Amino acid sequence: MNSIKHVAIIMDGNGRWGIKHKKSRNLGHKEGLKTVEKIIKTTIKNKIKYLTLYAFSTENWKRPKKEINFLFNLLENFLLNKISDLNKQNIKLKIIGKKNFSIKLTKLLNSSEKKTSQNKRLQINLALNYGSKNEIINALNIIKKNKLKINESNISKNLFTKNTPDPDILIRTGNTKRLSNFLLWQLAYSEIFFEKKLWPDFNEKDYFKILNNFKKIKRNFGNI
Ligand code: IPE
Ligand code: IPE
Ligand code: MG
């Protein structure tokens, strides 16, 4: 049976859920946050050490200002209200992506990371203003600046996900089958699960089913 160290999730479908139930995309984002909390709990229950959540892509800046502001307010309130609790639960928060936000949010992100940096039970990588192409270019520029060799190990070591094993599992909810610029390097050998349900409807049972299915897969890594 395969062990699971790292699960990555593209949490898609909030907007559609909001329109369907409340006639507002933003209320779908609010509802989606409840799923995040449930999934964190289940991840801990299953003793998985790394959880990477795609929350905002480098391409999501194309959205209307009103929606972007709502999303970042939601994040800010979540951190203000929950970071102590996450810390108590021995959870480490790491932001992956380029941190060019308002001074206020950057400070809050940095202090949340610092507060939880020594925690060991679960590491949550929150992908914010994250784009995989941007991450790879960034790694190559660091390699060039430091006159290092271009090889697999040096690239991995200079990605935002350094010190995190590659995901065993990628889940994308929302009935869409694409990667949307997420972890293109790191997903080379991950098992991919596309889930029809919209993110706010995704629950512990759905998650558990995926984890169980994964355990039974024969992973070859090129071997036979
Ligand atoms: C994913 O849900 C969350 C973010 C991208 C912030 P969407 O907002 O993309 O929801 P849909 O895909 O439009 O329903
Ligand atoms: C991917 O979802 C990004 C996040 C879940 C944060 P999108 O909804 O932005 O992806 P596309 O645009 O449909 O590919
Ligand atoms: Mg979407």
Side-chain angles (χ1 to χ4, degrees):
M1 284 244 267
N2 300 315
S3 67
I4 311 169
K5 287 198 193 77
H6 184 181
V7 175
I9 307 181
I10 302 175
M11 311 182 287
D12 196 26
N14 288 347
R16 278 165 285 161
W17 189 97
I19 296 295
K20 198 170 132 196
H21 294 268
K22 315 253 179 197
K23 296 193 175 66
S24 144
R25 290 183 52 84
N26 285 346
L27 289 176
H29 293 308
K30 203 172 156 198
E31 194 67 25
L33 195 52
K34 294 183 192 162
T35 306
V36 172
E37 297 195 62
K38 285 184 220 156
I39 292 310
I40 292 174
K41 272 194 198 128
T42 316
T43 304
I44 290 177
K45 248 193 245 164
N46 283 278
K47 300 193 168 60
I48 296 164
K49 288 286 176 192
Y50 299 88
L51 176 66
T52 299
L53 300 173
Y54 205 4
F56 196 87
S57 74
T58 45
E59 288 74 30
N60 287 146
W61 295 108
K62 292 176 193 160
R63 296 187 179 201
K65 251 215 159 93
K66 219 176 123 202
E67 180 166 339
I68 296 174
N69 288 340
F70 187 90
L71 279 166
F72 283 103
N73 272 328
L74 205 61
L75 170 70
E76 204 174 310
N77 285 327
F78 177 78
L79 288 177
L80 288 171
N81 292 324
K82 301 279 174 170
I83 196 67
S84 294
D85 186 44
L86 294 180
N87 189 35
K88 268 189 214 136
Q89 292 185 65
N90 203 6
I91 295 172
K92 172 176 173 172
L93 181 73
K94 186 162 187 316
I95 306 302
I96 61 167
K98 213 167 162 202
K99 273 200 204 117
N100 57 352
F101 309 108
S102 68
I103 296 175
K104 194 173 155 217
L105 180 62
T106 308
K107 269 191 182 162
L108 178 62
L109 294 172
N110 287 339
S111 67
S112 303
E113 284 186 303
K114 203 170 158 207
K115 192 176 174 126
T116 60
S117 67
Q118 299 305 313
N119 293 342
K120 296 271 183 284
R121 197 169 180 197
L122 168 69
Q123 175 170 331
I124 298 176
N125 295 321
L126 189 64
L128 268 188
N129 188 24
Y130 175 88
S132 185
K133 289 190 176 178
N134 165 274
E135 180 186 36
I136 293 169
I137 292 167
N138 186 57
L140 291 174
N141 276 323
I142 298 170
I143 289 173
K144 188 173 161 194
K145 207 171 104 194
N146 294 296
K147 299 194 168 66
L148 298 169
K149 255 196 182 154
I150 296 184
N151 57 30
E152 218 173 291
S153 151
N154 281 338
I155 292 177
S156 292
K157 266 191 245 166
N158 287 295
L159 296 173
F160 297 128
T161 51
K162 57 177 158 263
N163 304 323
T164 301
D166 285 345
D168 300 294
I169 297 175
L170 170 75
I171 301 169
R172 181 176 187 140
T173 59
N175 201 19
T176 303
K177 293 181 178 129
R178 54 176 173 254
L179 295 179
S180 304
N181 202 9
F182 190 48
L183 303 176
L184 302 178
W185 174 275
Q186 298 89 331
L187 293 174
Y189 265 107
S190 309
E191 302 298 331
I192 303 183
F193 295 83
F194 293 110
E195 164 69 47
K196 286 205 173 106
K197 281 191 180 177
L198 304 172
W199 179 247
D201 290 329
F202 187 68
N203 60 36
E204 288 101 330
K205 231 172 133 182
D206 303 316
Y207 188 33
F208 196 68
K209 227 192 245 169
I210 291 174
L211 299 179
N212 259 346
N213 284 341
F214 166 82
K215 286 179 190 163
K216 292 177 246 162
I217 292 172
K218 182 170 179 276
R219 301 182 84 190
N220 292 341
F221 299 102
N223 208 331
I224 51 170

